């Protein structure tokens, strides 16, 4: 399997759970070589052979290189691709956003997912496969201060659903998983350290009466979607939010 953003948080949890479940070869993609090397070493303790590839998943040409290098390590075929790049961007009302930054933020959220999805498809067409794009519940539930992130996450979920219909004839299934705030992750720490973010998310988390999800909760859903029990399931957008909403 191949995990983009697999060096920490949800991506690392996904890779770890696949290794525990018996995946023999796993490739992690990321931009930080030191963190990637440490993550690969950690996942390998569960019995898988793990390879780390450094690069920018959002690069027009780099995505093709990353997919090809991953496929070479995986024996020429990518059976599962999980995109778990952590969302970025500054929280706050749209009027407070720097207009110069809007394009960078929007493209930074959406382009890495779309580019890597496109790049892995040639390595799935022969025997089928599964793609799971981790987005955010901001795609479904309007949250003040997340107009840009919400728009980007909605783009990823609709992209995933539409792609599922395009590639089903090749035996490829595509899904999106949309967690809320994920406890004990660098992204959650960053959002809660922001004054505006803390105000918004502290209110939201009170609705998570099942408990805020952690990275392993999201990884477990990805593992199921990629497994044989979900062989006839495609095009789904699944929330993991502890009961914050049922949208």
């Amino acid at each position: 399997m191949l995990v983009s953003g697999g060096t920490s948080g949800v991506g690392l949890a996904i890779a770890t759970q696949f290794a525990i479940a018996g995946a023999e070869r796993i490739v992690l993609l990321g931009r930080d070589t030191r963190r990637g090397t440490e993550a690969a070493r950690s996942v390998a303790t569960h019995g898988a052979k793990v390879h780390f590839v450094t690069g920018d998943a959002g690069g027009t040409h780099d995505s093709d290189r990353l997919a090809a290098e991953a496929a070479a390590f995986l024996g020429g075929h990518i059976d599962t691709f999980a995109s778990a790049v952590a969302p970025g961007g500054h929280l706050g009302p749209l009027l407070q956003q720097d207009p110069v930054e809007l394009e960078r933020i929007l493209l930074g959220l959406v382009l890495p997912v779309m580019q890597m999805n496109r790049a892995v498809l040639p390595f799935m067409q022969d025997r089928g496969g599964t793609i799971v794009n981790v987005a955010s519940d901001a795609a479904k539930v309007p949250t003040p201060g997340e107009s840009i992130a919400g728009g980007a996450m909605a783009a990823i979920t609709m992209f995933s659903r539409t792609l599922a219909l395009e590639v089903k004839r090749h035996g490829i299934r595509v899904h999106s998983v949309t967690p809320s705030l994920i406890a004990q992750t660098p992204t959650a720490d960053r959002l809660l350290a922001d004054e505006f973010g803390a105000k918004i998310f502290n209110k939201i988390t009170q609705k998570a009466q099942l408990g805020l999800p952690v990275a392993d909760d999201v990884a477990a859903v990805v593992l199921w979607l990629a497994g044989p029990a979900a062989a006839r399931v495609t095009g789904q957008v699944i929330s993991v939010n502890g009961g914050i909403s049922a949208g």
Side-chain angles (χ1 to χ4, degrees):
M1 79 161 308
L2 169 63
V3 186
S4 181
T7 61
S8 65
V10 172
L12 180 56
I14 291 171
T16 300
Q17 288 206 20
F18 271 77
I20 292 172
E24 295 181 356
R25 290 176 178 263
I26 298 173
V27 177
L28 308 179
L29 304 184
R31 289 179 291 187
D32 188 320
T33 301
R34 180 191 60 79
R35 194 165 66 178
T37 302
E38 292 175 356
R41 187 179 300 116
S42 173
V43 176
T45 63
H46 299 285
K49 294 182 178 179
V50 186
H51 178 56
F52 173 68
V53 182
T54 308
D56 180 7
T60 302
H61 301 294
D62 217 17
S63 56
D64 288 334
R65 176 187 66 81
L66 294 172
E69 185 172 339
F73 179 78
L74 296 171
H77 177 78
I78 299 175
D79 60 356
T80 304
F81 169 60
S83 173
V85 179
H90 177 67
L91 284 171
L94 184 61
L95 279 175
Q96 295 180 10
Q97 300 291 335
D98 183 347
V100 177
E101 291 292 293
L102 286 180
E103 181 178 8
R104 181 190 65 80
I105 294 171
L106 185 60
L107 291 179
L109 289 171
V110 176
L111 201 58
V113 180
M114 294 184 174
Q115 289 284 27
M116 283 306 303
N117 275 239
R118 180 198 58 81
V120 302
L121 288 177
F123 301 103
M124 289 187 170
Q125 291 187 109
D126 56 343
R127 300 202 305 261
T130 305
I131 296 173
V132 182
N133 296 313
V134 179
S136 162
D137 241 22
K140 300 178 179 180
V141 182
T143 304
E146 287 195 312
S147 55
I148 300 172
M153 296 299 105
I156 291 171
T157 58
M158 182 54 74
F159 165 80
S160 302
R161 292 175 65 195
T162 305
L163 183 60
L165 295 180
E166 291 182 5
V167 299
K168 63 182 181 179
R169 66 184 182 276
H170 299 296
I172 301 171
R173 300 178 293 119
V174 186
H175 302 284
S176 180
V177 176
T178 59
S180 60
L181 188 70
I182 305 172
Q184 304 169 26
T185 61
T187 299
D189 293 341
R190 177 178 59 79
L191 291 174
L192 293 174
D194 177 85
E195 182 178 357
F196 184 89
K199 181 180 179 181
I200 294 296
F201 284 103
N202 283 332
K203 290 182 179 180
I204 291 174
T205 55
Q206 293 176 13
K207 299 179 180 179
Q209 294 178 329
L210 298 176
L212 277 181
V214 296
D216 279 339
D217 295 323
V218 182
V221 175
V222 176
L223 183 65
W224 179 78
L225 288 171
R232 291 175 178 80
V233 182
T234 194
Q236 300 304 300
V237 182
I238 300 176
S239 291
V240 184
N241 63 20
I244 290 174
S245 73

